[in-house]
Amino acid sequence: MWRTRWSAPDTWSGDAAYPPVLLVFNRIGERNPNRTVPRLMELTSHLWQGQRQKGGHHHYDGRIPIIATGLKNLSEHGPAGPVFLRFGRDHMEPLREAIGNPRREAADARAREETKARQDEYQAQMRRAAQEQAAKKAAEREARRPVCTGCGTKFTDERWEVAQVTDWGAPKDTHPHLCDDCKHRAVAAERRVAGKQEHQEPVHRGAEQPTFQREARRPVCTECGVEFTDERWKAIERAGWGVPQEPRPSLCGDCDRRYDTDVQQAWPGARRHQEQQGQAVPEQKAGGTWLSRFRR
């Protein structure tokens, strides 16, 4: 019957809330409520007695709250005053506290606060660990950040990402070791050089191969190892009727002049004799008198 009239929900901790029983005593005659109440507590202890917990409060799961009061106390203090005694307790309380469990509520509130504090501390530790891990990864990544070989500045994140692109089909960076500014300058310089080569290519393309072959045949002085100048090379290659042949074609111009100087200092008349012989031979060849003697 009482379940059809009692709609109080269970507590948040799961305790089943049973309807309380209120005993109101009116002291008339010889019966003394002060002796009756302790006797009732003893007889009904199995109905109202809870389980004591470490925090000093009790759990009343499946128990019936039994409260006693007197008309004299109600008339003096009113129904909202501390005139109600719950069986198992040693002090008077207002009705709400008497049928409730304030110690349990206070202990539960402390437990919730402690749990929340532990959760907050755990979350703070996790955030600190995540921040330390992120800072460590950032430091390791910063240590791997490339440095421009041109100006020495570190790559930006965008430049670093572009320089190390390896996706299939993505164009490879032309200057992966240069920053953006140095890359732009290098590309501009390469374009200028390419433009000049394209402009000069029609003029020099036909002459490149002959010039290379000619330079490969340029004589080298056997005395000092220096390549012949164009004038010296032409002088030793001159050929024709009446053209005097170089006496030392394997020497460059400087070594040839030093040779003449050394000979002149050692033999003062040798240079004059060589010049006279060199002049006489062309005159005989030109005039033909030397050949005419044999004809006579």
Side-chain angles (χ1 to χ4, degrees):
M1 182 63 185
W2 65 265
R3 293 182 183 276
T4 64
R5 302 295 180 179
W6 182 254
S7 61
D10 295 341
T11 62
W12 73 271
S13 60
D15 291 350
Y18 279 37
V21 176
L22 177 61
L23 304 176
V24 181
F25 292 90
N26 184 14
R27 186 170 184 177
I28 298 175
E30 296 181 358
R31 181 172 292 182
N32 187 357
N34 294 333
R35 292 194 300 270
T36 304
V37 169
R39 181 59 179 166
L40 289 175
M41 285 185 183
E42 182 180 354
L43 295 174
T44 60
S45 62
H46 64 285
L47 299 176
W48 55 259
Q49 193 172 20
Q51 296 178 354
R52 186 176 179 82
Q53 305 298 315
K54 293 182 179 180
H57 61 280
H58 290 76
H59 285 179
Y60 296 106
D61 185 23
R63 296 293 183 264
I64 300 174
I66 301 178
I67 298 97
T69 187
L71 289 178
K72 183 180 179 180
N73 290 335
L74 287 174
S75 62
E76 290 180 0
H77 301 284
V83 296
F84 299 94
L85 177 67
R86 180 167 177 167
F87 286 7
R89 299 178 184 175
D90 57 359
H91 58 283
M92 296 292 184
E93 297 174 304
L95 182 60
R96 285 186 175 276
E97 283 77 2
I99 63 177
N101 194 355
R103 290 184 178 180
R104 167 73 180 273
E105 294 174 358
D108 292 343
R110 289 193 299 270
R112 289 193 297 269
E113 291 177 357
E114 291 175 357
T115 301
K116 186 177 183 302
R118 288 193 297 269
Q119 291 178 350
D120 293 343
E121 179 63 23
Y122 176 75
Q123 294 294 334
Q125 291 179 358
M126 294 298 294
R127 286 193 296 269
R128 288 193 296 269
Q131 292 174 357
E132 293 176 357
Q133 186 68 16
K136 182 179 179 180
K137 290 183 178 180
E140 293 176 353
R141 185 175 186 274
E142 194 65 24
R144 297 194 310 269
R145 183 181 295 274
V147 178
C148 178
T149 57
C151 61
T153 58
K154 291 186 176 181
F155 280 24
T156 61
D157 292 340
E158 294 78 8
R159 177 57 185 158
W160 190 3
E161 183 177 358
V162 172
Q164 62 181 3
V165 169
T166 57
D167 294 338
W168 181 265
K172 188 177 181 180
D173 194 273
T174 57
H175 300 77
H177 303 296
L178 298 178
C179 63
D180 285 330
D181 296 338
C182 294
K183 176 184 176 181
H184 294 331
R185 287 193 291 268
V187 171
E190 291 174 358
R191 288 177 178 174
R192 288 194 298 268
V193 172
K196 291 181 179 179
Q197 290 179 352
E198 290 179 358
H199 181 71
Q200 297 175 357
E201 186 176 0
V203 178
H204 297 283
R205 178 173 293 178
E208 287 179 356
Q209 189 67 19
T211 303
F212 175 78
Q213 295 177 354
R214 184 173 184 275
E215 289 295 327
R217 294 185 293 102
R218 183 180 294 272
V220 178
C221 179
T222 58
E223 182 68 22
C224 63
V226 176
E227 293 183 349
F228 281 23
T229 61
D230 292 342
E231 292 77 9
R232 179 60 178 168
W233 193 0
K234 292 178 180 179
I236 66 172
E237 286 186 343
R238 280 184 295 185
W241 189 261
V243 178
Q245 188 176 1
E246 282 291 326
R248 289 169 294 276
S250 62
L251 299 181
C252 64
D254 295 337
C255 293
D256 184 62
R257 285 189 292 272
R258 283 196 297 271
Y259 181 86
D260 290 340
T261 303
D262 295 341
V263 171
Q264 184 67 26
Q265 292 177 357
W267 306 93
R271 179 66 179 176
R272 191 178 307 109
H273 178 69
Q274 290 177 358
E275 291 178 354
Q276 291 177 358
Q277 289 182 350
Q279 292 176 358
V281 172
E283 290 178 359
Q284 292 175 1
K285 289 181 180 180
T289 55
W290 185 74
L291 293 174
S292 60
R293 295 178 182 177
F294 290 92
R295 293 175 182 174
R296 292 177 182 178

Short mmCIF file of all heavy atoms in Angstrom, two decimals, residues 80-117:
data_model
loop_
_atom_site.label_atom_id
_atom_site.label_comp_id
_atom_site.label_asym_id
_atom_site.label_seq_id
_atom_site.Cartn_x
_atom_site.Cartn_y
_atom_site.Cartn_z
N ALA A 80 9.16 23.16 11.97
CA ALA A 80 10.45 23.39 11.29
C ALA A 80 11.61 23.42 12.27
O ALA A 80 12.78 23.54 11.85
CB ALA A 80 10.40 24.69 10.50
N GLY A 81 11.37 23.31 13.55
CA GLY A 81 12.44 23.37 14.53
C GLY A 81 13.12 22.04 14.72
O GLY A 81 12.66 20.99 14.26
N PRO A 82 14.25 22.04 15.47
CA PRO A 82 14.99 20.80 15.73
C PRO A 82 14.34 19.99 16.85
O PRO A 82 14.84 19.92 17.98
CB PRO A 82 16.36 21.31 16.12
CG PRO A 82 16.11 22.65 16.73
CD PRO A 82 14.92 23.23 16.03
N VAL A 83 13.23 19.35 16.54
CA VAL A 83 12.47 18.62 17.56
C VAL A 83 12.28 17.16 17.16
O VAL A 83 11.49 16.46 17.80
CB VAL A 83 11.10 19.29 17.79
CG1 VAL A 83 11.29 20.69 18.36
CG2 VAL A 83 10.30 19.34 16.48
N PHE A 84 13.02 16.67 16.16
CA PHE A 84 12.83 15.31 15.66
C PHE A 84 14.08 14.49 15.94
O PHE A 84 15.21 14.92 15.70
CB PHE A 84 12.52 15.31 14.16
CG PHE A 84 11.27 16.07 13.82
CD1 PHE A 84 11.33 17.41 13.46
CD2 PHE A 84 10.04 15.44 13.87
CE1 PHE A 84 10.18 18.11 13.14
CE2 PHE A 84 8.88 16.14 13.55
CZ PHE A 84 8.96 17.47 13.18
N LEU A 85 13.87 13.28 16.46
CA LEU A 85 14.95 12.37 16.78
C LEU A 85 14.82 11.14 15.90
O LEU A 85 13.84 10.40 15.96
CB LEU A 85 14.90 11.95 18.25
CG LEU A 85 15.96 10.92 18.68
CD1 LEU A 85 17.36 11.53 18.61
CD2 LEU A 85 15.67 10.38 20.09
N ARG A 86 15.84 10.90 15.11
CA ARG A 86 15.86 9.70 14.26
C ARG A 86 16.50 8.57 15.06
O ARG A 86 17.54 8.75 15.70
CB ARG A 86 16.63 9.95 12.97
CG ARG A 86 16.67 8.72 12.07
CD ARG A 86 17.14 9.05 10.69
NE ARG A 86 17.24 7.85 9.86
CZ ARG A 86 17.40 7.89 8.53
NH1 ARG A 86 17.44 9.06 7.90
NH2 ARG A 86 17.48 6.77 7.85
N PHE A 87 15.90 7.41 14.97
CA PHE A 87 16.41 6.26 15.70
C PHE A 87 17.82 5.94 15.20
O PHE A 87 18.09 5.84 14.01
CB PHE A 87 15.51 5.05 15.52
CG PHE A 87 14.22 5.12 16.29
CD1 PHE A 87 13.86 6.28 16.97
CD2 PHE A 87 13.37 4.01 16.34
CE1 PHE A 87 12.67 6.34 17.68
CE2 PHE A 87 12.19 4.06 17.06
CZ PHE A 87 11.84 5.22 17.72
N GLY A 88 18.72 5.80 16.13
CA GLY A 88 20.12 5.53 15.84
C GLY A 88 20.99 6.76 15.99
O GLY A 88 22.22 6.64 15.95
N ARG A 89 20.37 7.95 16.20
CA ARG A 89 21.13 9.18 16.37
C ARG A 89 20.91 9.69 17.80
O ARG A 89 19.96 9.31 18.48
CB ARG A 89 20.71 10.23 15.34
CG ARG A 89 20.98 9.78 13.91
CD ARG A 89 20.50 10.80 12.90
NE ARG A 89 20.68 10.29 11.52
CZ ARG A 89 20.27 10.94 10.45
NH1 ARG A 89 19.64 12.13 10.57
NH2 ARG A 89 20.47 10.40 9.27
N ASP A 90 21.80 10.60 18.23
CA ASP A 90 21.78 11.05 19.63
C ASP A 90 21.47 12.53 19.77
O ASP A 90 21.73 13.13 20.81
CB ASP A 90 23.12 10.74 20.30
CG ASP A 90 24.28 11.37 19.54
OD1 ASP A 90 24.03 12.03 18.49
OD2 ASP A 90 25.45 11.20 19.96
N HIS A 91 20.89 13.17 18.76
CA HIS A 91 20.59 14.60 18.85
C HIS A 91 19.36 14.90 18.02
O HIS A 91 19.01 14.17 17.08
CB HIS A 91 21.77 15.44 18.37
CG HIS A 91 22.16 15.14 16.94
ND1 HIS A 91 22.88 14.03 16.60
CD2 HIS A 91 21.90 15.81 15.78
CE1 HIS A 91 23.07 14.02 15.29
NE2 HIS A 91 22.48 15.09 14.76
N MET A 92 18.70 16.01 18.37
CA MET A 92 17.50 16.46 17.67
C MET A 92 17.89 17.19 16.39
O MET A 92 18.92 17.87 16.32
CB MET A 92 16.67 17.39 18.56
CG MET A 92 16.11 16.74 19.80
SD MET A 92 14.85 15.52 19.36
CE MET A 92 14.29 15.04 20.99
N GLU A 93 17.04 17.07 15.36
CA GLU A 93 17.31 17.68 14.06
C GLU A 93 16.00 18.22 13.49
O GLU A 93 14.92 17.76 13.87
CB GLU A 93 17.89 16.65 13.10
CG GLU A 93 19.23 16.08 13.49
CD GLU A 93 19.65 14.96 12.54
OE1 GLU A 93 18.89 14.00 12.39
OE2 GLU A 93 20.76 15.08 11.98
N PRO A 94 16.09 19.14 12.56
CA PRO A 94 14.88 19.47 11.80
C PRO A 94 14.40 18.27 11.00
O PRO A 94 15.15 17.30 10.78
CB PRO A 94 15.34 20.62 10.89
CG PRO A 94 16.53 21.18 11.57
CD PRO A 94 17.21 20.00 12.25
N LEU A 95 13.18 18.33 10.55
CA LEU A 95 12.57 17.16 9.92
C LEU A 95 13.33 16.72 8.67
O LEU A 95 13.55 15.53 8.46
CB LEU A 95 11.10 17.45 9.59
CG LEU A 95 10.33 16.29 8.99
CD1 LEU A 95 10.32 15.10 9.93
CD2 LEU A 95 8.91 16.73 8.62
N ARG A 96 13.75 17.66 7.81
CA ARG A 96 14.44 17.29 6.58
C ARG A 96 15.76 16.58 6.87
O ARG A 96 16.11 15.60 6.21
CB ARG A 96 14.69 18.53 5.72
CG ARG A 96 13.44 19.03 5.01
CD ARG A 96 13.80 20.16 4.06
NE ARG A 96 12.66 20.58 3.27
CZ ARG A 96 12.24 20.03 2.17
NH1 ARG A 96 12.88 18.95 1.69
NH2 ARG A 96 11.20 20.50 1.52
N GLU A 97 16.51 17.08 7.85
CA GLU A 97 17.78 16.41 8.19
C GLU A 97 17.52 15.07 8.86
O GLU A 97 18.30 14.13 8.71
CB GLU A 97 18.62 17.30 9.11
CG GLU A 97 19.33 18.45 8.43
CD GLU A 97 18.37 19.60 8.11
OE1 GLU A 97 17.17 19.50 8.47
OE2 GLU A 97 18.81 20.59 7.51
N ALA A 98 16.44 14.98 9.60
CA ALA A 98 16.16 13.73 10.32
C ALA A 98 15.80 12.60 9.37
O ALA A 98 16.24 11.46 9.57
CB ALA A 98 15.03 13.95 11.34
N ILE A 99 15.00 12.89 8.36
CA ILE A 99 14.64 11.83 7.42
C ILE A 99 15.69 11.66 6.32
O ILE A 99 15.65 10.69 5.57
CB ILE A 99 13.26 12.12 6.78
CG1 ILE A 99 13.32 13.41 5.94
CG2 ILE A 99 12.17 12.21 7.85
CD1 ILE A 99 12.03 13.73 5.21
N GLY A 100 16.62 12.61 6.20
CA GLY A 100 17.67 12.50 5.21
C GLY A 100 18.95 11.92 5.78
O GLY A 100 18.97 11.31 6.85
N ASN A 101 20.04 12.13 5.05
CA ASN A 101 21.35 11.61 5.47
C ASN A 101 22.40 12.67 5.17
O ASN A 101 23.20 12.54 4.24
CB ASN A 101 21.66 10.30 4.73
CG ASN A 101 22.82 9.54 5.36
OD1 ASN A 101 23.46 10.02 6.29
ND2 ASN A 101 23.08 8.35 4.84
N PRO A 102 22.45 13.76 5.94
CA PRO A 102 23.37 14.87 5.65
C PRO A 102 24.84 14.48 5.71
O PRO A 102 25.65 14.98 4.94
CB PRO A 102 23.01 15.90 6.72
CG PRO A 102 22.34 15.13 7.80
CD PRO A 102 21.65 13.99 7.14
N ARG A 103 25.18 13.56 6.64
CA ARG A 103 26.59 13.14 6.70
C ARG A 103 26.98 12.39 5.43
O ARG A 103 28.08 12.55 4.92
CB ARG A 103 26.81 12.27 7.93
CG ARG A 103 26.71 13.02 9.25
CD ARG A 103 27.05 12.10 10.40
NE ARG A 103 27.01 12.80 11.68
CZ ARG A 103 27.27 12.23 12.85
NH1 ARG A 103 27.58 10.93 12.91
NH2 ARG A 103 27.21 12.93 13.97
N ARG A 104 26.04 11.54 4.97
CA ARG A 104 26.31 10.82 3.72
C ARG A 104 26.45 11.80 2.56
O ARG A 104 27.35 11.66 1.72
CB ARG A 104 25.18 9.82 3.47
CG ARG A 104 25.14 9.21 2.06
CD ARG A 104 26.25 8.20 1.88
NE ARG A 104 26.22 7.62 0.56
CZ ARG A 104 25.48 6.54 0.24
NH1 ARG A 104 24.68 5.98 1.15
NH2 ARG A 104 25.54 6.03 -0.97
N GLU A 105 25.58 12.79 2.50
CA GLU A 105 25.64 13.78 1.43
C GLU A 105 26.95 14.57 1.49
O GLU A 105 27.58 14.83 0.45
CB GLU A 105 24.45 14.72 1.53
CG GLU A 105 23.11 14.03 1.27
CD GLU A 105 21.94 14.95 1.51
OE1 GLU A 105 22.18 16.11 1.92
OE2 GLU A 105 20.79 14.52 1.31
N ALA A 106 27.39 14.95 2.70
CA ALA A 106 28.66 15.67 2.84
C ALA A 106 29.84 14.80 2.42
O ALA A 106 30.77 15.24 1.73
CB ALA A 106 28.84 16.17 4.27
N ALA A 107 29.80 13.52 2.83
CA ALA A 107 30.89 12.61 2.44
C ALA A 107 30.91 12.39 0.94
O ALA A 107 31.99 12.36 0.32
CB ALA A 107 30.74 11.28 3.19
N ASP A 108 29.70 12.26 0.36
CA ASP A 108 29.65 12.08 -1.10
C ASP A 108 30.16 13.33 -1.82
O ASP A 108 30.85 13.23 -2.86
CB ASP A 108 28.22 11.77 -1.52
CG ASP A 108 27.77 10.39 -1.04
OD1 ASP A 108 28.64 9.58 -0.68
OD2 ASP A 108 26.54 10.14 -1.03
N ALA A 109 29.83 14.50 -1.29
CA ALA A 109 30.31 15.75 -1.90
C ALA A 109 31.84 15.83 -1.82
O ALA A 109 32.50 16.21 -2.80
CB ALA A 109 29.67 16.95 -1.22
N ARG A 110 32.40 15.44 -0.68
CA ARG A 110 33.86 15.43 -0.56
C ARG A 110 34.49 14.43 -1.52
O ARG A 110 35.53 14.70 -2.13
CB ARG A 110 34.27 15.12 0.87
CG ARG A 110 33.99 16.21 1.87
CD ARG A 110 34.72 15.95 3.18
NE ARG A 110 34.30 14.69 3.79
CZ ARG A 110 33.28 14.58 4.65
NH1 ARG A 110 32.57 15.65 4.99
NH2 ARG A 110 32.97 13.40 5.18
N ALA A 111 33.85 13.26 -1.65
CA ALA A 111 34.38 12.25 -2.57
C ALA A 111 34.34 12.75 -4.01
O ALA A 111 35.29 12.52 -4.78
CB ALA A 111 33.59 10.95 -2.42
N ARG A 112 33.23 13.43 -4.35
CA ARG A 112 33.15 13.97 -5.72
C ARG A 112 34.21 15.04 -5.94
O ARG A 112 34.85 15.09 -7.02
CB ARG A 112 31.76 14.55 -5.97
CG ARG A 112 30.68 13.50 -6.11
CD ARG A 112 29.40 14.11 -6.66
NE ARG A 112 28.84 15.11 -5.76
CZ ARG A 112 27.95 14.84 -4.81
NH1 ARG A 112 27.54 13.58 -4.61
NH2 ARG A 112 27.47 15.81 -4.05
N GLU A 113 34.44 15.88 -4.95
CA GLU A 113 35.47 16.91 -5.09
C GLU A 113 36.86 16.28 -5.20
O GLU A 113 37.69 16.72 -6.02
CB GLU A 113 35.42 17.85 -3.89
CG GLU A 113 34.17 18.74 -3.85
CD GLU A 113 34.13 19.61 -2.62
OE1 GLU A 113 35.05 19.46 -1.78
OE2 GLU A 113 33.20 20.42 -2.50
N GLU A 114 37.11 15.26 -4.38
CA GLU A 114 38.42 14.60 -4.46
C GLU A 114 38.60 13.90 -5.81
O GLU A 114 39.69 13.95 -6.41
CB GLU A 114 38.55 13.59 -3.32
CG GLU A 114 38.65 14.24 -1.95
CD GLU A 114 38.64 13.21 -0.84
OE1 GLU A 114 38.51 12.00 -1.18
OE2 GLU A 114 38.77 13.60 0.33
N THR A 115 37.54 13.26 -6.29
CA THR A 115 37.63 12.60 -7.60
C THR A 115 37.87 13.62 -8.70
O THR A 115 38.70 13.39 -9.60
CB THR A 115 36.34 11.82 -7.87
OG1 THR A 115 36.15 10.86 -6.84
CG2 THR A 115 36.41 11.12 -9.22
N LYS A 116 37.15 14.73 -8.62
CA LYS A 116 37.33 15.78 -9.63
C LYS A 116 38.75 16.36 -9.56
O LYS A 116 39.38 16.63 -10.59
CB LYS A 116 36.31 16.88 -9.44
CG LYS A 116 36.34 17.95 -10.53
CD LYS A 116 35.25 18.96 -10.31
CE LYS A 116 35.24 20.00 -11.45
NZ LYS A 116 36.53 20.69 -11.59
N ALA A 117 39.25 16.53 -8.32
CA ALA A 117 40.61 17.05 -8.18
C ALA A 117 41.63 16.08 -8.77
O ALA A 117 42.58 16.49 -9.44
CB ALA A 117 40.92 17.31 -6.70
#
